[in-house]
Amino acid sequence: MPALEALGARLRAASDVDAFDPSAAAAASVAAAAHFARDVALALAEATDEAEARAQALTTGGRDDATTEDASFAESAADAAAHDAALLAVSRATWSLAVTYFVEPGDGTGFVADRLADWYREHATSLGFGPDSLPERLARLLAAIQDPDAPELRVRPERAEGYWPCFASLVALGWTDAATDLLGMHGCWAEWRVGKPDAKPLAELLEAVVALLRTQPGMTGEKAFESGSSRDARKEATSAPQLAAFREAWLRQVRAVLDDAALFDAVSDAASAEGARHALAAMAGEQSAVLRAAKSGGWLELAVADA
């Protein structure tokens, strides 16, 4: 692989005492390592896609007139292909995690919280952490909201089982865009638009939560969101002290909303008020709230939430 050869050349150059330039050798080695990491990630992604396609083809390509022996062989082949695909997916996730931490963490900033959240969002399904992991709970929630036998949930999605726990988990794990989208499904927005008086206090509370999600500070080098996402409005720091200052100011705003008793008391929907309060507490970094939001997904979701 060319990138591996380039990495070896950089390392050999670094061992040449006469021609050694510490800054140049370090930069070249980091660049070669990053290039190599990208090549391996691409190869794993292609292999995973091919294996998944092969497994899908074997699963759906059976013939109706096949003998019992042929059908059994095809089923075994499909199972083997699915196992290979799952193994490759886990390998891809493991490599990606190693790159996140050890190859220019945080794109050179050393801060990986946003990148770690993105990593888990991309690979959580393939890691298979069970029915209580956030992706599985979200899938069940969306299925319930879209259930044709429960039309009332299309109007009031927040009444579906798991809506507020899922929202708190999204906030705790840093899945800001998904959290904003889920809150945007709340039924109070439609009521507020048509002028229903009871909807205004809750809409004001939810607006404050959305604004805080969108302005949560981070490091400039982190590429955890794309242009046009809900995090475009956030303050970006270029150093650890600046990030600490931005975060301190942002946390004061979170605490101000949490401590606004009048704002919460004006909300007639007690479940929504409590759900918003729990999510704000997780935003504020309250350990009990973070634990409650992430514990159902196991140690990995707790690690991502605590990053």
Side-chain angles (χ1 to χ4, degrees):
M1 188 178 292
L4 181 57
E5 295 172 1
L7 178 58
R10 300 298 186 192
L11 297 176
R12 287 192 296 274
S15 66
D16 185 349
V17 177
D18 294 333
F20 184 64
D21 178 348
S23 60
S29 295
V30 168
H35 190 180
F36 175 62
R38 285 193 297 269
D39 271 6
V40 173
L42 180 60
L44 283 171
E46 290 175 349
T48 302
D49 291 342
E50 290 174 2
E52 289 176 347
R54 184 165 61 254
Q56 180 66 22
L58 287 169
T59 301
T60 60
R63 291 167 43 194
D64 293 337
D65 60 348
T67 64
T68 302
E69 184 177 350
D70 288 342
S72 177
F73 176 79
E75 183 177 354
S76 297
D79 289 343
H83 179 268
D84 290 345
L87 183 60
L88 280 166
V90 172
S91 299
R92 179 185 179 190
T94 304
W95 178 261
S96 179
L97 180 61
V99 170
T100 296
Y101 270 101
F102 301 117
V103 181
E104 288 194 284
D107 294 323
T109 67
F111 293 88
V112 299
D114 284 354
R115 294 287 298 275
L116 185 61
D118 270 9
W119 169 83
Y120 184 62
R121 179 168 56 245
E122 181 178 357
H123 298 288
T125 301
S126 62
L127 291 171
F129 269 74
D132 291 330
S133 65
L134 180 54
E136 294 291 334
R137 290 189 289 128
L138 271 176
R140 291 196 298 272
L141 172 62
L142 294 177
I145 292 172
Q146 297 167 0
D147 186 352
D149 293 331
E152 69 280 2
L153 295 182
R154 291 179 177 270
V155 180
R156 307 294 309 206
E158 69 276 10
R159 293 178 181 171
E161 182 179 358
Y163 178 93
W164 286 111
C166 278
F167 178 68
S169 295
L170 290 170
V171 170
L173 268 63
W175 295 11
T176 307
D177 289 340
T180 303
D181 289 344
L182 186 60
L183 203 58
M185 298 170 66
H186 199 289
C188 84
W189 302 112
E191 294 181 345
W192 187 32
R193 283 193 294 268
V194 298
K196 187 174 180 180
D198 290 349
K200 184 178 178 181
L202 179 54
E204 290 177 345
L205 172 59
L206 299 187
E207 273 193 325
V209 174
V210 170
L212 289 167
L213 284 170
R214 289 177 171 170
T215 55
Q216 184 174 359
M219 290 296 294
T220 299
E222 293 181 344
K223 299 175 181 176
F225 57 97
E226 298 178 358
S227 178
S229 79
S230 66
R231 298 191 66 170
D232 282 351
R234 78 174 185 174
K235 281 190 173 182
E236 295 184 341
T238 57
S239 66
Q242 189 179 49
L243 177 61
F246 284 169
R247 182 162 178 78
E248 183 179 351
W250 178 77
L251 284 173
R252 284 198 298 269
Q253 295 174 0
V254 176
R255 295 302 323 179
V257 176
L258 263 175
D259 296 339
D260 190 342
L263 179 63
F264 283 92
D265 290 344
V267 176
S268 58
D269 183 344
S272 291
E274 185 59 26
R277 190 191 303 274
H278 177 207
L280 285 164
M283 268 192 244
E286 294 182 10
Q287 285 301 306
S288 60
V290 173
L291 178 63
R292 179 183 169 193
K295 68 179 180 180
S296 65
W299 66 267
L300 183 55
E301 289 190 5
L302 281 170
V304 174
D306 203 40

